[in-house]
Amino acid sequence: MEHPLYQRELADGVRIVGVQTSRFKTLRVSVSFAVQLCAQTAGVNALVISMLQRSCARYPDFTALNKRLAELYGAIVYARITKQGDAQVLTLYISTVDDRFALEGEKLADACAGLLCDMLFNPVTEGGLLPEQAVEMEKRLLKEKIDSELSDKRQYALEQCEAAMCAGEPFGLSKYGKVSEIDAITPQMATDAMKKLLRTAQVQINVIGSADAQAVGERFRRAFEQLGRDYRPLPTPVFGQFSGTVREQEERLPVNQGKLVLGLRTGMESPADHVYANAVMTDIFGGGPYSRLFMNVREKLSLCYYCSARLTRQKGLIFVSSGVESENAGKARAEILYQLQVMKDGRFEDSEFAASVKALSDSARSMNDMPDYLDTWYTRQMTLDAVETPEDYARQISAVTREQVEQAARGVMLDTVYLLKPNEEEAQS
């Protein structure tokens, strides 16, 4: 079921996207800030959005904020930090029951938007700065988050391949920044970063639920108008080309299972360049249980524990991730590239093509099933030139031809190989 979409520019570089529907029992309001990823600011930006979720001047501590959330029918506030191509996207969202279920007819979407405005535009300060104690606590929590990601070796290997493949580009940086940069953050730096985000970042507000998004937008419009804007548009994303030499990187860590990641360039020159054909091609290649990587590299040949491919649209890159025994890494790599050649030669089955088109179309349409899915769907598009509904995307996928998939595959080139191997002692045990 497709929902009507409301869009409006509220201020310079600030837009609202609303999906008005009575289908859900809950509502969602989010505010996202997109800025260029930068080694000097990634850490402090991540710290700021995480800190702002915990209080505001009106509800200055954990007890007061939780009391207000309870009044809003057990609302949940959360911060999220993601990477979209060369951009760092910082999101603060709130979820609660939909307006239709408020016992006293309260306008919950407007109340939630008001709380988000309080948290963003009127935070707790001491002497005009974000409190030192809160900054120090957030630094510790952010470093713990970085450490926890290091424990996820599958994600770690992917990020190391991204960093090697896009060295010198914003996309090669961590969305959380470096520990050394985080350690250096002061209350003054955090306060300056907060003000800069509000004044200069690209902003998108999403409203999902039965409430009138236009009314919610008016609250944010007034807040940004009072603040004043000095909007700095995001630079054009970097779409690098194959250098002619495959980068090879190998690392040893105390792990039981090796990780092999292949970074591939599609030849795309923008996020819209043959994106639907590349999406279908990537899915047939390594998207689901019907894909060639799953059926052949994992199931038929048992060369890895998992093997999948995903397309990074905002950079025109494909990453193939696999878990392997070190002695099988070479064979797995060769078989992955053989399956890519199958795609280039057009030797995949019509049934594989049909399964992929159906799976991608159904997956896109399933975004209409939950408010948080829709919120994520539209937030992921905030750095793109145009907003596309799930149904629009499904229609474009369904229009892709087999010939277009073959053409897309022929443009794919291996660029970077990253292999994480166990330490010698683990390998021998």
Side-chain angles (χ1 to χ4, degrees):
M1 177 180 177
E2 188 170 9
H3 306 298
L5 190 67
Y6 169 81
Q7 295 184 68
R8 181 190 169 195
E9 293 294 318
L10 301 178
D12 195 14
V14 180
R15 76 178 175 194
I16 186 168
V17 174
V19 179
Q20 188 168 17
T21 174
S22 298
R23 184 179 184 184
F24 307 125
K25 294 181 179 179
T26 59
L27 69 86
R28 177 108 152 195
V29 182
S30 69
V31 185
S32 297
F33 301 86
V35 294
Q36 179 86 334
L37 257 173
C38 175
Q40 289 73 39
T41 59
V44 70
N45 287 340
L47 179 141
V48 163
I49 199 68
S50 297
M51 177 182 291
L52 293 179
Q53 73 179 310
R54 306 192 193 284
S55 65
C56 61
R58 184 172 297 184
Y59 309 106
D61 54 41
F62 179 82
T63 301
L65 179 60
N66 274 323
K67 181 180 178 182
R68 178 54 179 158
L69 292 174
E71 292 170 351
L72 294 173
Y73 295 83
I76 297 172
V77 175
Y78 195 73
R80 182 177 62 230
I81 303 153
T82 58
K83 182 166 66 173
Q84 294 184 24
D86 291 341
Q88 182 187 33
V89 177
L90 312 149
T91 301
L92 192 64
Y93 69 78
I94 185 167
S95 298
T96 191
V97 299
D98 193 69
D99 280 10
R100 295 174 297 125
F101 300 102
L103 298 177
E104 304 295 331
E106 303 99 315
K107 301 295 184 181
L108 293 176
D110 183 68
C112 287
L115 180 56
L116 288 180
C117 283
D118 280 337
M119 300 173 92
L120 291 167
F121 296 97
N122 192 22
V124 175
T125 58
E126 294 177 352
L129 302 178
L130 294 174
E132 182 175 5
Q133 183 177 358
V135 169
E136 291 302 318
M137 182 187 75
E138 211 61 54
K139 287 162 66 172
R140 176 177 56 80
L141 294 174
L142 186 55
K143 288 188 290 185
E144 288 176 357
K145 187 175 293 186
I146 293 173
D147 288 340
S148 70
E149 290 221 332
L150 178 60
S151 300
D152 182 352
K153 293 301 187 290
R154 183 172 180 171
Q155 181 65 25
Y156 172 81
L158 174 61
E159 291 178 354
Q160 292 302 106
C161 187
E162 291 175 351
M165 190 172 183
C166 299
E169 300 176 23
F171 184 70
L173 301 172
S174 166
K175 62 186 176 183
Y176 296 126
K178 293 183 178 180
V179 170
S180 58
E181 298 292 337
I182 294 168
D183 283 333
I185 295 172
T186 64
Q188 183 68 63
M189 293 169 62
T191 305
D192 291 344
M194 177 190 68
K195 292 178 178 179
K196 186 175 182 180
L197 280 174
L198 292 170
R199 291 177 60 86
T200 69
Q202 180 178 331
V203 183
Q204 181 168 303
I205 298 140
N206 294 339
V207 182
I208 317 293
S210 67
D212 181 5
Q214 186 172 358
V216 173
E218 184 60 22
R219 180 183 284 274
F220 283 101
R221 186 197 65 77
R222 292 194 300 268
F224 278 106
E225 182 178 65
Q226 293 172 7
L227 174 74
R229 289 277 287 167
D230 182 22
Y231 172 48
R232 312 288 175 83
L234 291 169
T236 302
V238 177
F239 275 73
Q241 300 300 315
F242 179 55
S243 65
T245 303
V246 176
R247 300 174 178 88
E248 305 266 358
Q249 183 171 326
E250 186 175 304
E251 185 177 7
R252 286 189 181 271
L253 285 175
V255 295
N256 295 321
Q257 181 190 109
K259 310 293 178 186
L260 174 68
V261 184
L262 305 187
L264 311 169
R265 294 195 182 274
T266 64
M268 291 173 62
E269 297 181 352
S270 76
D273 185 16
H274 298 94
V275 63
Y276 307 107
N278 274 290
V280 175
M281 185 274 298
T282 304
D283 195 65
I284 298 171
F285 178 46
Y290 46 79
S291 70
R292 300 203 63 84
L293 293 185
F294 183 91
M295 293 299 296
N296 293 280
V297 186
R298 182 185 185 275
E299 293 294 291
K300 182 178 179 180
L301 299 175
S302 300
L303 290 173
C304 55
Y305 301 99
Y306 63 86
C307 191
S308 63
R310 67 169 178 82
L311 172 68
T312 301
R313 174 179 180 175
Q314 286 90 341
K315 293 291 289 183
L317 306 176
I318 296 171
F319 291 96
V320 179
S321 297
S322 59
V324 299
E325 296 293 344
S326 296
E327 61 268 22
N328 287 333
K331 293 178 182 178
R333 170 178 172 174
E335 184 62 25
I336 290 168
L337 295 178
Y338 173 74
Q339 294 303 327
L340 177 60
Q341 189 61 49
V342 168
M343 298 298 302
K344 291 173 183 279
D345 296 340
R347 289 184 283 131
F348 53 91
E349 302 293 333
D350 288 340
S351 58
E352 295 172 304
F353 172 73
S356 177
V357 169
K358 185 178 188 307
L360 288 175
S361 300
D362 289 349
S363 177
R365 293 189 177 100
S366 73
M367 295 299 105
N368 289 306
D369 291 345
M370 292 185 67
D372 53 332
Y373 291 174
L374 281 170
D375 182 33
T376 300
W377 175 268
Y378 289 112
T379 300
R380 285 176 178 169
Q381 297 184 69
M382 72 175 292
T383 61
L384 303 178
D385 292 334
V387 175
E388 187 174 49
T389 69
E391 190 62 38
D392 289 338
Y393 183 84
R395 282 193 288 264
Q396 292 286 358
I397 288 294
S398 296
V400 171
T401 66
R402 182 186 173 103
E403 290 71 25
Q404 289 172 325
V405 171
E406 294 175 19
Q407 183 179 1
R410 287 193 287 271
V412 177
M413 301 289 291
L414 176 65
D415 184 279
T416 304
V417 179
Y418 172 83
L419 178 60
L420 175 62
K421 299 173 68 174
N423 286 337
E424 295 291 348
E425 54 271 23
E426 277 81 9
Q428 294 170 4
S429 60

